[in-house]
Amino acid sequence: MMRQRNLWIIVLLLWSLAPLLWQLYTSFCTHEALLQPLAEHNQRWTLDNYRQVLTANPPFWRYLLNSVIVGISSTGLTLLIAIPAAYSLSRVSQNIARTAKLILLGAALFPYVLLFLALLELARSFNLGNNLLALSFPYAGLSMPLAVLLLLSAFRDLPSELEEAARLEGLDLWQRLRWVLIPLIGPATASTAILVFLFSWNEYPIALTWISRADLLTLPVAIARIAGSSVYSIPYGAYAAATVLGALPLLLLVIIFQRQIVSGLTQGAIKG
């Protein structure tokens, strides 16, 4: 039984890591090695792919910085609205909360690609193009339903006696949120923030249409332009190098906050 379980774990790891390992392998391969798998050793490995990406104009770090700015602003705006909204829903009657949860669930499952033209019209009407911070508005709006649902579950899991004790101590609503409730839902807040950040980091259609300046492109759009730079050949090595470099900040983020992410995602799964 244990051997079968270990086998399934190995298969799952290989299934999950194989695309990542292939991208890493491709990023260090020459173009000839990709076309000829049996190429000689001295003709197989190269750092030119990374050199090509890092010395491009604009430099690759600029795209990383743009995505970080968009991710942080989108995450901050989402949490700023989602935390009070989730707290409010956790304190209303069951019927109202159930109806609101169904609406939020439907909004979370709705394919946001169908809103593409409407968002583009908003960008034109309010002159939001070529503005990195402006991207945080649609990103926060699209992430809001899921964020509220996750934080709502976290607030519901807190004992009501904690807030009652804080109220008896003379703390008002915002003081109770700031000093009592928000610290207790820290793991759920961290996991929600990571999910919102990942969405804004990987989002492509909105960033493609809202941003046209080369120095303001986010990472997905910049990588897509690398892959489509020629109609006659695809620079697989450079594309793989860009994806590896773009994934490093996310891996670092997950490694640093892995405990909070796991705790937040599993919070409320086991009671008793």
Side-chain angles (χ1 to χ4, degrees):
M1 184 68 178
M2 183 65 67
R3 183 178 301 177
Q4 185 178 5
R5 183 183 304 172
N6 293 336
L7 179 62
W8 279 110
I9 292 175
I10 294 174
V11 172
L12 179 61
L13 288 175
L14 290 176
W15 180 268
S16 303
L17 295 178
L20 303 178
L21 295 176
W22 179 256
Q23 285 292 87
L24 183 63
Y25 164 78
T26 304
S27 67
F28 288 104
C29 280
T30 63
H31 185 68
E32 292 76 12
L34 293 174
L35 297 177
Q36 301 176 5
L38 300 179
E40 297 181 4
H41 181 77
N42 58 354
Q43 297 179 351
R44 173 171 295 277
W45 308 111
T46 183
L47 293 176
D48 289 341
N49 297 323
Y50 287 93
R51 192 177 299 112
Q52 176 184 347
V53 171
L54 294 174
T55 58
N57 186 25
F60 189 77
W61 64 264
R62 180 68 186 180
Y63 305 134
L64 288 175
L65 179 61
N66 293 340
S67 291
V68 169
I69 293 174
V70 173
I72 292 177
S73 61
S74 302
T75 304
L77 180 60
T78 301
L79 294 180
L80 184 65
I81 302 175
I83 290 176
Y87 171 79
S88 301
L89 284 177
S90 68
R91 297 300 183 263
V92 299
S93 64
Q94 289 290 337
N95 291 332
I96 297 177
R98 189 179 299 110
T99 303
K101 287 174 66 175
L102 290 175
I103 295 174
L104 289 171
L105 183 61
L109 297 177
F110 188 83
Y112 80 92
V113 178
L114 300 180
L115 302 175
F116 176 73
L117 293 178
L119 292 174
L120 183 59
E121 280 300 316
L122 288 176
R124 290 176 177 174
S125 301
F126 294 97
N127 195 24
L128 299 177
N130 289 322
N131 189 331
L132 290 176
L133 294 180
L135 284 175
S136 62
F137 295 116
Y139 289 177
L142 294 171
S143 304
M144 195 67 62
L146 180 60
V148 172
L149 288 174
L150 292 175
L151 294 173
L152 174 60
S153 298
F155 277 118
R156 282 283 176 86
D157 291 338
L158 295 179
S160 58
E161 292 81 4
L162 289 174
E163 189 172 4
E164 291 296 331
R167 185 183 290 109
L168 292 176
E169 292 293 331
L171 299 181
D172 59 26
L173 174 60
W174 293 109
Q175 288 175 330
R176 295 197 300 271
L177 281 173
R178 170 65 180 86
W179 301 110
V180 180
L181 300 178
I182 292 180
L184 291 175
I185 63 168
T189 304
S191 60
T192 303
I194 293 296
L195 292 176
V196 175
F197 188 88
L198 289 176
F199 169 76
S200 62
W201 185 274
N202 295 319
E203 200 282 329
Y204 177 77
I206 299 176
L208 176 65
T209 54
W210 284 40
I211 304 295
S212 60
R213 285 174 47 183
D215 60 324
L216 293 179
L217 295 179
T218 57
L219 195 61
V221 181
I223 292 178
R225 291 195 175 187
I226 293 175
S229 59
S230 174
V231 297
Y232 300 104
S233 64
I234 300 177
Y236 292 106
Y239 180 78
T243 56
V244 170
L245 292 174
L248 290 179
L250 297 182
L251 291 176
L252 181 62
L253 191 66
V254 171
I255 291 174
I256 294 175
F257 296 102
Q258 59 177 329
R259 184 173 301 177
Q260 290 84 349
I261 294 172
V262 174
S263 177
L265 292 177
T266 58
Q267 188 174 22
I270 301 177
K271 293 183 180 181

